[in-house]
Amino acid sequence: LKVRRSERLIDITHYLLERPHTLVPLTFFAKRYESAKSSISEDLGIVRRTFKGRGTGILQTIPGAAGGVRFIPTIAPAEATEFIRAMAIELSDKSRLLPGGYVYLSDLLGQPKVLRAVGRLIATQYAQQQVDAVMTVATKGVPIAQSVSAYLNVPFVIVRRDSKITEGPTVSVNYVSGSSRRVEKMELSKRSLSQNSRVLVVDDFIKGGGTVNGMKSLIEEFDSQLVGITVFAESLFSGKRPISDYTALLAVDQVDDQAKMLHVKAGNYLERTFN
Ligand SMILES: O=P(O)(O)OC[C@H]1C[C@H](OP(=O)(O)OP(=O)(O)O)[C@H](O)[C@@H]1O
């Protein structure tokens, strides 16, 4: 039974939204709706124009027999700007101040709406780059990594600071925890990352930068490449960070836990992603 265009458009949209960064051949849709490929091409043109117009994402067309379409989720600059503006106001609440210049984020990074937005923002930044895996360190970075990996349709791997027999054989590196000048160890199970992987590092917070620097070393131990580092928020840090090339959605620009004062502004995400 032939399926009407209005129904095809709804079902095509739903199918693609659920399968980001996945190549879907035209013949798949032609068979699914028992429609001509020319009709499916017109359908996809309507979806592409609507996605583009509303900032939903990019619908790539790959020509040829092995071709098809691929949905790349993105977030529109205006929506990204609005989200970051709202987050900066939310984070500038002095009740979020923690000793040592840390900011309490766990309530926000436990909200599905916030995690979906953060995942989409970071996936937009790397939408056109080859990413094979998203890496973070337990614990607070995990929900962010999961959300980014869902939008990029790649696995995420969790680096741990403690040894667990359930992780099997691991690769470990020592790193200096910036804020406390302590030498710490982090490790990743050998099976979780193959050689020559292109790895995106994400985390909730960067202070001294020791943690992300440790993950950079770990990626090198796996003979893999670091694609980029993006964190939800960066703190003020008086020392010199071992890593300076990273992206932050938000940035603490005034903090004084004695005076109970905290101000958070937009980080460098917007200019790094949309310029
Ligand atoms: O830039 P640095 O000075 O290295 O600090 C940033 C680390 C510390 C903190 O993790 P913790 O709160 O230590 O651990 P967990 O994420 O497990 O709560 C945060 O999540 C980053 O991973």
Side-chain angles (χ1 to χ4, degrees):
L1 177 71
K2 276 177 73 75
V3 178
R4 282 195 319 276
R5 163 153 287 169
S6 55
E7 191 179 327
R8 295 202 306 264
L9 289 174
I10 292 167
D11 190 61
I12 286 173
T13 300
H14 176 254
Y15 190 88
L16 292 173
L17 286 174
E18 294 225 314
R19 294 164 182 81
H21 287 272
T22 306
L23 183 66
V24 185
L26 254 57
T27 47
F28 169 80
F29 288 124
K31 283 198 193 90
R32 187 179 173 94
Y33 310 119
E34 295 184 37
S35 302
K37 279 171 64 171
S38 55
S39 310
I40 298 299
S41 289
E42 286 165 16
D43 295 345
L44 291 169
I46 296 168
V47 174
R48 177 183 304 106
R49 284 191 296 278
T50 309
F51 278 6
K52 187 171 164 57
R54 300 205 171 245
T56 314
I58 299 159
L59 193 59
Q60 279 178 347
T61 301
I62 293 83
V69 286
R70 182 185 288 121
F71 167 57
I72 311 287
T74 62
I75 192 164
E79 195 182 338
T81 304
E82 178 47 34
F83 173 76
I84 288 174
R85 195 190 61 78
M87 277 295 118
I89 292 169
E90 177 62 51
L91 286 186
S92 296
D93 173 349
K94 57 178 183 292
S95 69
R96 290 184 177 277
L97 255 180
L98 296 170
Y102 285 97
V103 179
Y104 181 70
L105 302 172
S106 301
D107 58 328
L108 294 173
L109 297 180
Q111 287 175 23
K113 192 161 93 38
V114 172
L115 284 170
R116 268 197 301 277
V118 172
R120 198 172 191 123
L121 278 159
I122 299 176
T124 300
Q125 182 183 3
Y126 297 95
Q128 307 295 357
Q129 298 186 45
Q130 172 64 40
V131 173
D132 301 313
V134 179
M135 176 186 276
T136 192
V137 65
T139 305
K140 290 194 285 293
V142 172
I144 295 174
Q146 188 279 327
S147 182
V148 175
S149 79
Y151 279 114
L152 290 178
N153 188 34
V154 296
F156 69 101
V157 296
I158 305 173
V159 174
R160 305 179 69 119
R161 295 188 184 98
D162 56 352
S163 296
K164 289 272 180 189
I165 52 165
T166 45
E167 290 292 311
T170 64
V171 176
S172 72
V173 292
N174 296 322
Y175 69 99
V176 179
S177 165
S179 17
S180 57
R181 309 294 320 150
R182 266 193 333 270
V183 177
E184 306 218 13
K185 181 192 284 284
M186 58 169 65
E187 54 186 81
L188 179 63
S189 68
K190 273 208 166 79
R191 334 170 31 142
S192 48
L193 200 57
S194 46
Q195 284 194 334
N196 294 319
S197 297
R198 294 174 53 77
V199 182
L200 164 58
V201 166
V202 298
D203 207 352
D204 64 317
F205 202 67
I206 182 171
K207 194 162 181 330
T211 303
V212 292
N213 197 40
M215 284 192 266
K216 182 169 178 284
S217 312
L218 203 48
I219 290 167
E220 285 155 13
E221 288 303 312
F222 277 84
D223 299 324
S224 288
Q225 292 82 41
L226 172 67
V227 172
I229 298 170
T230 299
V231 296
F232 177 68
E234 65 173 303
S235 77
L236 278 174
F237 183 67
S238 50
K240 181 155 177 24
R241 287 190 173 113
I243 286 217
S244 54
D245 182 13
Y246 60 84
T247 305
L249 273 54
L250 294 146
V252 175
D253 63 345
Q254 287 173 29
V255 63
D256 180 335
D257 42 4
Q258 260 81 35
K260 281 276 172 241
M261 207 259 295
L262 171 63
H263 186 265
V264 178
K265 66 178 182 179
N268 61 2
Y269 169 85
L270 293 169
E271 59 259 23
R272 279 192 159 207
T273 305
F274 296 114
N275 285 353

Short mmCIF file of all heavy atoms in Angstrom, two decimals, residues 235-261:
data_model
loop_
_atom_site.label_atom_id
_atom_site.label_comp_id
_atom_site.label_asym_id
_atom_site.label_seq_id
_atom_site.Cartn_x
_atom_site.Cartn_y
_atom_site.Cartn_z
N SER A 235 37.06 27.08 35.65
CA SER A 235 37.19 27.96 36.82
C SER A 235 38.30 28.97 36.56
O SER A 235 39.04 28.87 35.58
CB SER A 235 37.59 27.13 38.04
OG SER A 235 38.97 26.85 37.92
N LEU A 236 38.39 29.92 37.45
CA LEU A 236 39.57 30.80 37.45
C LEU A 236 40.71 29.95 37.99
O LEU A 236 40.50 29.12 38.87
CB LEU A 236 39.33 31.98 38.39
CG LEU A 236 38.52 33.15 37.81
CD1 LEU A 236 38.24 34.17 38.89
CD2 LEU A 236 39.25 33.78 36.64
N PHE A 237 41.90 30.15 37.46
CA PHE A 237 43.02 29.38 37.99
C PHE A 237 44.25 30.28 37.96
O PHE A 237 44.62 30.77 36.90
CB PHE A 237 43.25 28.11 37.17
CG PHE A 237 44.34 27.22 37.71
CD1 PHE A 237 44.18 26.58 38.94
CD2 PHE A 237 45.53 27.07 37.03
CE1 PHE A 237 45.19 25.77 39.45
CE2 PHE A 237 46.54 26.26 37.53
CZ PHE A 237 46.37 25.61 38.75
N SER A 238 44.83 30.51 39.14
CA SER A 238 45.95 31.47 39.22
C SER A 238 47.21 30.86 38.61
O SER A 238 48.02 31.56 38.04
CB SER A 238 46.20 31.82 40.70
OG SER A 238 46.29 30.61 41.44
N GLY A 239 47.33 29.54 38.70
CA GLY A 239 48.57 28.92 38.20
C GLY A 239 48.59 28.85 36.68
O GLY A 239 47.75 29.44 36.01
N LYS A 240 49.57 28.09 36.16
CA LYS A 240 49.66 27.90 34.70
C LYS A 240 49.12 26.51 34.38
O LYS A 240 49.60 25.52 34.93
CB LYS A 240 51.13 28.03 34.26
CG LYS A 240 51.29 27.87 32.73
CD LYS A 240 52.52 28.56 32.21
CE LYS A 240 52.73 28.33 30.70
NZ LYS A 240 51.50 28.01 29.93
N ARG A 241 48.10 26.41 33.56
CA ARG A 241 47.52 25.11 33.21
C ARG A 241 48.45 24.39 32.22
O ARG A 241 49.02 25.04 31.34
CB ARG A 241 46.15 25.30 32.56
CG ARG A 241 45.06 25.71 33.53
CD ARG A 241 43.68 25.65 32.89
NE ARG A 241 42.62 25.89 33.85
CZ ARG A 241 41.83 26.96 33.84
NH1 ARG A 241 41.99 27.88 32.91
NH2 ARG A 241 40.87 27.11 34.73
N PRO A 242 48.58 23.07 32.33
CA PRO A 242 49.41 22.32 31.36
C PRO A 242 48.76 22.30 29.97
O PRO A 242 49.38 21.98 28.99
CB PRO A 242 49.47 20.92 31.95
CG PRO A 242 48.29 20.81 32.84
CD PRO A 242 48.00 22.19 33.34
N ILE A 243 47.47 22.61 29.93
CA ILE A 243 46.75 22.60 28.65
C ILE A 243 46.05 23.95 28.50
O ILE A 243 45.37 24.41 29.41
CB ILE A 243 45.69 21.48 28.64
CG1 ILE A 243 46.40 20.14 28.51
CG2 ILE A 243 44.67 21.72 27.55
CD1 ILE A 243 45.69 19.12 27.67
N SER A 244 46.22 24.60 27.35
CA SER A 244 45.52 25.89 27.17
C SER A 244 44.51 25.80 26.03
O SER A 244 43.62 26.63 25.92
CB SER A 244 46.56 26.97 26.84
OG SER A 244 47.31 26.53 25.73
N ASP A 245 44.63 24.77 25.18
CA ASP A 245 43.72 24.69 24.03
C ASP A 245 42.51 23.82 24.37
O ASP A 245 42.51 22.61 24.16
CB ASP A 245 44.46 24.09 22.81
CG ASP A 245 43.55 24.05 21.59
OD1 ASP A 245 42.47 24.69 21.65
OD2 ASP A 245 43.89 23.34 20.61
N TYR A 246 41.48 24.45 24.95
CA TYR A 246 40.26 23.72 25.27
C TYR A 246 39.09 24.69 25.09
O TYR A 246 39.28 25.91 25.00
CB TYR A 246 40.29 23.19 26.71
CG TYR A 246 40.42 24.27 27.75
CD1 TYR A 246 39.30 24.95 28.22
CD2 TYR A 246 41.68 24.63 28.23
CE1 TYR A 246 39.43 25.98 29.13
CE2 TYR A 246 41.80 25.65 29.16
CZ TYR A 246 40.68 26.33 29.60
OH TYR A 246 40.81 27.35 30.50
N THR A 247 37.89 24.13 25.02
CA THR A 247 36.67 24.94 24.88
C THR A 247 35.85 24.81 26.15
O THR A 247 35.76 23.71 26.71
CB THR A 247 35.83 24.41 23.69
OG1 THR A 247 36.66 24.38 22.52
CG2 THR A 247 34.61 25.29 23.43
N ALA A 248 35.29 25.91 26.60
CA ALA A 248 34.41 25.87 27.77
C ALA A 248 33.09 26.53 27.41
O ALA A 248 33.09 27.60 26.77
CB ALA A 248 35.05 26.59 28.95
N LEU A 249 31.98 25.92 27.78
CA LEU A 249 30.68 26.54 27.53
C LEU A 249 30.52 27.76 28.44
O LEU A 249 30.01 28.80 28.02
CB LEU A 249 29.53 25.54 27.79
CG LEU A 249 29.11 24.63 26.63
CD1 LEU A 249 30.26 23.87 26.04
CD2 LEU A 249 28.02 23.66 27.08
N LEU A 250 31.02 27.61 29.68
CA LEU A 250 30.86 28.68 30.68
C LEU A 250 32.20 28.93 31.35
O LEU A 250 33.07 28.05 31.39
CB LEU A 250 29.81 28.24 31.71
CG LEU A 250 28.42 28.11 31.08
CD1 LEU A 250 27.64 27.00 31.72
CD2 LEU A 250 27.70 29.44 31.12
N ALA A 251 32.37 30.11 31.91
CA ALA A 251 33.64 30.44 32.57
C ALA A 251 33.37 31.25 33.83
O ALA A 251 32.66 32.26 33.79
CB ALA A 251 34.53 31.23 31.62
N VAL A 252 33.97 30.77 34.95
CA VAL A 252 33.88 31.54 36.19
C VAL A 252 34.80 32.74 36.01
O VAL A 252 35.98 32.58 35.66
CB VAL A 252 34.36 30.69 37.39
CG1 VAL A 252 34.39 31.54 38.65
CG2 VAL A 252 33.47 29.46 37.57
N ASP A 253 34.27 33.96 36.18
CA ASP A 253 35.19 35.10 36.02
C ASP A 253 35.36 35.90 37.31
O ASP A 253 36.19 36.78 37.38
CB ASP A 253 34.79 36.00 34.85
CG ASP A 253 33.42 36.65 35.04
OD1 ASP A 253 32.68 36.18 35.93
OD2 ASP A 253 33.13 37.61 34.34
N GLN A 254 34.55 35.60 38.32
CA GLN A 254 34.79 36.23 39.63
C GLN A 254 34.42 35.18 40.68
O GLN A 254 33.31 34.62 40.63
CB GLN A 254 33.90 37.46 39.84
CG GLN A 254 34.32 38.67 39.04
CD GLN A 254 33.28 39.80 39.18
OE1 GLN A 254 32.61 39.89 40.22
NE2 GLN A 254 33.13 40.58 38.15
N VAL A 255 35.34 34.92 41.60
CA VAL A 255 34.99 33.96 42.67
C VAL A 255 35.76 34.34 43.93
O VAL A 255 36.93 34.73 43.87
CB VAL A 255 35.35 32.52 42.23
CG1 VAL A 255 36.83 32.34 42.00
CG2 VAL A 255 34.87 31.51 43.25
N ASP A 256 35.04 34.31 45.07
CA ASP A 256 35.70 34.60 46.34
C ASP A 256 34.90 33.90 47.42
O ASP A 256 33.83 34.38 47.82
CB ASP A 256 35.73 36.12 46.58
CG ASP A 256 36.44 36.45 47.91
OD1 ASP A 256 36.46 35.55 48.79
OD2 ASP A 256 36.95 37.55 48.06
N ASP A 257 35.38 32.70 47.85
CA ASP A 257 34.52 31.97 48.79
C ASP A 257 34.51 32.60 50.18
O ASP A 257 33.62 32.32 50.97
CB ASP A 257 34.79 30.46 48.84
CG ASP A 257 36.27 30.11 48.84
OD1 ASP A 257 37.10 31.03 48.87
OD2 ASP A 257 36.57 28.92 48.79
N GLN A 258 35.47 33.49 50.48
CA GLN A 258 35.34 34.21 51.76
C GLN A 258 34.19 35.21 51.64
O GLN A 258 33.23 35.19 52.41
CB GLN A 258 36.63 34.99 52.08
CG GLN A 258 37.53 34.27 53.07
CD GLN A 258 38.36 33.20 52.38
OE1 GLN A 258 38.75 33.40 51.24
NE2 GLN A 258 38.56 32.07 53.02
N ALA A 259 34.28 36.03 50.57
CA ALA A 259 33.26 37.09 50.42
C ALA A 259 31.96 36.52 49.85
O ALA A 259 31.03 37.27 49.56
CB ALA A 259 33.82 38.16 49.49
N LYS A 260 31.93 35.18 49.69
CA LYS A 260 30.70 34.57 49.14
C LYS A 260 30.29 35.26 47.84
O LYS A 260 29.16 35.74 47.70
CB LYS A 260 29.56 34.70 50.18
CG LYS A 260 29.65 33.66 51.29
CD LYS A 260 29.01 32.35 50.84
CE LYS A 260 29.26 31.22 51.85
NZ LYS A 260 30.02 30.12 51.19
N MET A 261 31.26 35.38 46.93
CA MET A 261 30.96 36.08 45.68
C MET A 261 31.28 35.16 44.50
O MET A 261 32.29 34.46 44.52
CB MET A 261 31.86 37.33 45.65
CG MET A 261 31.32 38.47 44.85
SD MET A 261 32.17 38.47 43.30
CE MET A 261 33.83 38.83 43.87
#
